[in-house]
Amino acid sequence: MQVSRRSFLKISGGAVMASGIGLSLKPVKAHAEPLKIRYATETTTICPYCGVGCGIIVAARNGKIINTEGDPDHPINQGSLCSKGGSISQLSVNKNRLDKPLYRAPFSKEWKTVTWNWALDKIAANVKKSRDKSFTFKNSKGQTVNRTTSIASVGSAALDNEECFIYQKFLRSLGLVYIEHQARI
Amino acid sequence: MTNHWNDIANSDCILIMGSNAAANHPISFKYVTKAQENGGKLISVDPRYTQTSSKSDIYAALRSGTDIAFLGGMIKYLLDHNLIQKKYVQHYTNATFLVNPAFKMPGENDGVFSGLKDFKYDKSTWSFQTDTDGIVKRDLSLQDPNCVYQLLKKQYSRYTPEVVSKITGTPPEKLLEIYKEYTATGAVGKAGTIMYAMGWTQHTVGVQNIRAMAIIQLLLGNMGVTGGGVNALRGESNVQGSTDHCLLFHILPGYLKTPKASQATLIDYNNKYTPSTKEANSLNWWKNYPKYSASLLRAHYAGSTSLEEAYSYLPKLDDGANYSWLSLFDQMHQGNFEGFFAWGQNPACSGASSNKTRAALAELEWMVNVNLFDNETGSFWKGPNVNPEKIKTEVFMLPCAASMEKEGSITNSGRWMQWRYKAVNPPGQARPDGEIITELYYRVKDLYEKEGGPLAEAITNLSWDYGPKGGDGRIRHLDTHMVAKEINGYFLKDTVVKGKTFKKGTLVPSFAYLQDDGSTSSGNWLYCNSYTEKGNMAARRNKKDRSGVGLYSEWSWCWPVNRRIIYNGASVDPDSGQPWDKKDPVILWNGAKWVGDVPDGVSPPGGGRKPFIMKPHGVASIFGPGRADGPFPEHYEPLECPVEKNPLSPQMTNPVIKRWDKEGSGTDVDARATCDPRFPFVCTTYRVSEHWQTGLMTRWCPWLAEMQPGLFIEMSKELAKLKGIKSGDLVTANSIRGQVEAVAIVTPRFKPFKIDGNTVHQVGIPWHFGWVTTKMREYVHGDKKPEVFTSGDSANLLTPFIGDANTMIPESKAFMVNVKKKGV
């Protein structure tokens, strides 16, 4: 079997692991040590931090990320990653991720867990109320403006392109003009 | 970036200024190092000796906010020594253009350009002389006293090394050493590049910092070539893409303009923004504007809505009004908004003058915050010194999916659009942002269908065809491939373009085929060519580099039309089409056609081909009358500065910035302190490798929080001695607007500056922290509690509420503070 650069990295990665727990470094032994990413599904991704756009391979097993590593085939990072890119598994495997919609009522001191249905219905009703109250067909010069200046939005460079596109589409259909995001700061 | 990451390796000289790429874009250094191994030089200019500086061949310190003086000195040096790449300058820039003789410059006009009135420029004198046919007059010999070249020479004759040194604090001999090294790239076949980031943009003269460098790059013939360009290092993985898709008040996807109130019809709108040209051989690409606006409207509203109707649905801005970030938060602070979406963003830490931003949030009736983790914006109502019982704002915090938990594309700094795949489900009930947007859209639409409302059709007629639909006519789930296809665009009926027949429903192969009559859709013309009948270009993974210069043209896809180096038409001799740089060509004419990268225009060499196709004149603008604050950059001090006099002119600050701090306006959170003995030290914000932006996506990650556990303030040994501070001491840093507590780090990386004979100290502070992940705050039932706490709050509590004259990006990189040991 020809060993590609990628599978070589997997093998040598296994060897390093093995030596880390005090085993012999003999190749045979290293092969016998089960690889961390055995039975894992691998997908490629691009780092969500800075704008370099490094490639990362994500290995998941049973719906959980078990390993991430720089993509050796990616022409920019060629397998390397920085401290942030090297730790992206902690974005997903993290007990502090928000996992339920939360609601804070006016003047309340705490969050309340709510359902998606309840939250989205209430937000939609708020949007309609604020928009309808403020919707301006004509400005003070009598020119058509068809806008609301009662609702604003910021975000986001953290969205995918497709999400950015539909988000601006949605906001502009409502008549928002105060639309800004990270690029301005 | 006009170029891209791998291309940095092709450079002969890399200037990193306004960026600490080694720390903040670490992988970029693979290519910086490669360039150095090939004999290239690295120059680092930064107020602080950074990780980037430690790898440099030449380092110089400059006081924050004095970059134009530094670069103006370089322009003078290269003109004095006649180091320009002359043929390039003559044919590819407007250096030969004759300017209106009534135009006046700061050196002869009290520090400002002609036309200043009421803090705004009347630009009527910033014009070109034209002949009776309307064609711009030129002097190819560059000798006419009114030609751009001679005006440039006159403007920067004032920027002598001595004057520049007085302003920047950089010793004159160091200036000359750098000027000499960098301007050597003016030789034919040599290329220099600039890597900059927020260190240049976050100033009241941010755009002019970049203009100054663009002028240098044009004079040296460094635009469009391998190893050259002007390269903005983007700080977020998709801030390029989110800007391309224009989540900004003034632009629509593909950098089309947001319509103004005075443009009542689509025809008015197109007429306003479609430039014409009388220049022979100028492609004037924006002549296609009506095709792109019509295709965008079609992506928003399907065929049953006419183009004029679709245009009328778009909200219009008042002419001359500004709705950008600072204006937005000022309006919010005044209580002028009811509702607010903070979607994937944490403005309570990222906005300038955080006390103002945080107070503004309390004026809202309702706020929706969509994020991965708890953050200072969503939880502002229980922040430091806030009594929740007095805050009326209703807050929704919605959990969303992280990047590995959904599928879609992002665009890196080098304009590469790269596809990402889903690896796992998001935790608990968290959902991809795109699905949340879709759900919210449908619910709002339901309400308008049921109850009606003002201009309800703008909402109810919106097309949302992103997947298989159920019986109710709605998509069952969001298919991001369908969105990507809509962004690319479709033929909406059988169409013949340029002799080719395209079937209804097929994807448009590139923006050259878009139509202005509503027969094509394209959500973003710049991305037309990204998802075609050949497939999803962003997902390509062929790493073969046929170019030999690292273009990797079959890996992912880049805008526009997969052109990896933009303005590449300027990389060749205008007569022969042969590359200036024979070793690393981007494109070349092989006698029959262009080969190499996708060329800017296809016409053969020798016919007066003009490479800057987005400009009506077809050439690059050394003279840039489009800017709000002058056609040439001029040094002005930051709003808050340590000097009482500008050695170059009587004008201290950029004369056309919008001021919130003037007497009778604004509040204490807008205050300004310049040459104020209470705030004697220059301060700048910066970043560390281990954290990202406000820290929202890093402070909650235990490894990263452990590596960089809290807010610090870095200062020189000299300042520390003066203030009786030791490394590790807890100190307070104050500006007139706010205060933070931080740990002192005393290093030789900062040195006091000699500014016009006086000693000026500068300190630096990272801005990634916030109170939500600190140990000392109160945690109540249900609060998330970090595994590893961080200390300190946002450095933006200190920064001023003031923006650049063109972009309104806040001046976070130069302001005045005091520092003292806590409790003293």
Side-chain angles (χ1 to χ4, degrees), chain B residues 608-656:
Chain B
R609 193 171 176 273
K610 292 190 164 59
F612 290 88
I613 61 172
M614 303 312 285
K615 308 290 286 182
H617 294 125
V619 294
S621 302
I622 286 178
F623 187 83
R627 304 283 67 80
D629 45 357
F632 291 134
E634 166 76 356
H635 167 72
Y636 298 115
E637 286 292 329
L639 183 74
E640 291 192 335
C641 67
V643 297
E644 281 171 330
K645 246 182 69 195
N646 175 357
L648 276 163
S649 84
Q651 179 65 34
M652 280 297 286
T653 54
N654 189 334
V656 296

Side-chain angles (χ1 to χ4, degrees), chain B residues 233-505:
Chain B
L233 314 188
R234 300 296 203 151
E236 305 223 11
S237 59
N238 198 33
V239 78
Q240 183 64 57
S242 57
T243 306
D244 300 336
H245 294 299
C246 297
L247 282 163
L248 291 162
F249 88 89
H250 67 300
I251 38 180
L252 303 177
Y255 302 91
L256 304 178
K257 306 279 197 257
T258 308
K260 301 253 168 61
S262 60
Q263 295 141 15
T265 65
L266 178 60
I267 294 166
D268 295 342
Y269 169 79
N270 283 334
N271 285 346
K272 174 77 185 170
Y273 298 119
T274 310
S276 60
T277 185
K278 292 188 168 150
E279 297 293 327
N281 304 309
S282 173
L283 275 179
N284 182 31
W285 202 263
W286 278 121
K287 69 173 180 267
N288 298 306
Y289 198 99
K291 298 175 184 170
Y292 306 153
S293 56
S295 298
L296 169 66
L297 290 170
R298 269 288 163 266
H300 277 213
Y301 296 97
S304 52
T305 308
S306 74
L307 286 179
E308 278 297 348
E309 271 174 318
Y311 176 77
S312 76
Y313 294 161
L314 283 179
K316 315 288 184 301
L317 309 176
D318 277 344
D319 293 70
N322 188 291
Y323 304 82
S324 72
W325 184 279
L326 293 176
S327 306
L328 187 161
F329 279 97
D330 193 62
Q331 288 292 313
M332 193 187 292
H333 195 251
Q334 291 179 43
N336 291 338
F337 293 122
E338 282 193 3
F340 179 54
F341 290 97
W343 201 302
Q345 194 165 7
N346 184 14
C349 285
S350 60
S353 194
S354 301
N355 278 326
K356 179 167 182 172
T357 314
R358 292 174 186 187
L361 298 173
E363 300 296 324
L364 295 164
E365 299 296 323
W366 56 270
M367 171 168 76
V368 178
N369 183 219
V370 186
N371 234 314
L372 300 178
F373 295 101
D374 187 11
N375 61 82
E376 289 75 12
T377 301
S379 289
F380 83 94
W381 45 273
K382 53 176 172 172
N385 310 314
V386 180
N387 178 359
E389 291 174 328
K390 295 205 163 136
I391 306 289
K392 65 176 175 182
T393 316
E394 185 178 38
V395 185
F396 303 83
M397 179 114 80
L398 306 181
C400 60
S403 53
M404 308 82 86
E405 299 159 358
K406 61 185 180 184
E407 187 173 3
S409 73
I410 58 170
T411 305
N412 80 355
S413 211
R415 298 167 284 104
W416 293 16
M417 176 195 184
Q418 305 191 87
W419 199 261
R420 302 196 282 209
Y421 298 88
K422 178 177 171 178
V424 291
N425 284 323
Q429 298 174 29
R431 305 175 69 172
D433 299 271
E435 286 187 19
I436 305 173
I437 295 163
T438 299
E439 278 291 323
L440 193 53
Y441 165 64
Y442 277 144
R443 276 162 215 255
V444 172
K445 185 182 181 184
D446 276 343
L447 289 177
Y448 279 94
E449 278 176 346
K450 242 183 274 160
E451 302 167 14
L455 204 68
E457 318 84 83
I459 299 163
T460 55
N461 289 349
L462 200 67
S463 58
W464 211 271
D465 295 324
Y466 305 126
K469 289 180 177 170
D472 56 358
R474 299 195 171 172
I475 58 169
R476 297 189 189 286
H477 85 104
L478 181 83
D479 178 352
T480 41
H481 289 269
M482 295 289 285
V483 184
K485 288 178 184 176
E486 181 179 270
I487 291 171
N488 178 85
Y490 295 98
F491 290 101
L492 303 175
K493 57 181 188 190
D494 292 355
T495 311
V496 180
V497 193
K498 299 175 199 259
K500 285 190 201 171
T501 307
F502 297 95
K503 283 273 167 225
K504 176 181 173 180

Side-chain angles (χ1 to χ4, degrees), chain B residues 94 99 103 113 123 126-128 148 152 207-208 211 215 218 615 620-633 806:
Chain B
N94 66 12
V99 174
F103 170 66
F113 294 91
K123 298 183 182 176
W126 306 4
S127 56
F128 296 122
V148 167
L152 188 75
V207 167
Q208 297 287 8
R211 280 271 302 141
I215 290 172
L218 291 168
K615 308 290 286 182
S621 302
I622 286 178
F623 187 83
R627 304 283 67 80
D629 45 357
F632 291 134
N806 292 284

Side-chain angles (χ1 to χ4, degrees), chain A residues 49 51 74 76 84 97 99 103-104 130-133 146 150 156 159-162 169 172 179 181 185, chain B residues 31 202 237 242 248-249 299 312 338 344 393-394 405 409 413 418 420 429 448 454 463 466 689 697:
Chain A
Y49 291 108
H74 197 284
I76 296 176
K84 289 193 291 294
R97 277 283 296 281
D99 52 5
Y103 176 72
R104 184 260 177 186
S130 297
R131 180 183 180 273
D132 289 1
K133 214 158 59 170
N146 291 343
S150 194
S156 174
L159 301 181
D160 288 352
N161 284 321
E162 296 72 28
K169 184 175 177 176
R172 290 184 161 120
I179 299 173
H181 84 288
I185 53 174
Chain B
Y31 301 100
Q202 290 177 335
S237 59
S242 57
L248 291 162
F249 88 89
S312 76
E338 282 193 3
T393 316
E394 185 178 38
E405 299 159 358
S409 73
S413 211
Q418 305 191 87
R420 302 196 282 209
Q429 298 174 29
Y448 279 94
S463 58
Y466 305 126
S689 294
M697 271 168 50

Side-chain angles (χ1 to χ4, degrees), chain A residues 61-100:
Chain A
R61 191 163 52 209
N62 302 329
K64 192 178 164 191
I65 293 176
I66 55 161
N67 189 55
T68 58
E69 62 191 80
D71 181 350
D73 288 332
H74 197 284
I76 296 176
N77 60 311
Q78 299 173 10
S80 316
L81 289 174
C82 74
S83 48
K84 289 193 291 294
S87 66
I88 64 158
S89 63
Q90 292 200 329
L91 282 175
S92 182
V93 187
N94 190 317
K95 68 181 174 60
N96 281 319
R97 277 283 296 281
L98 296 170
D99 52 5
K100 294 180 212 69

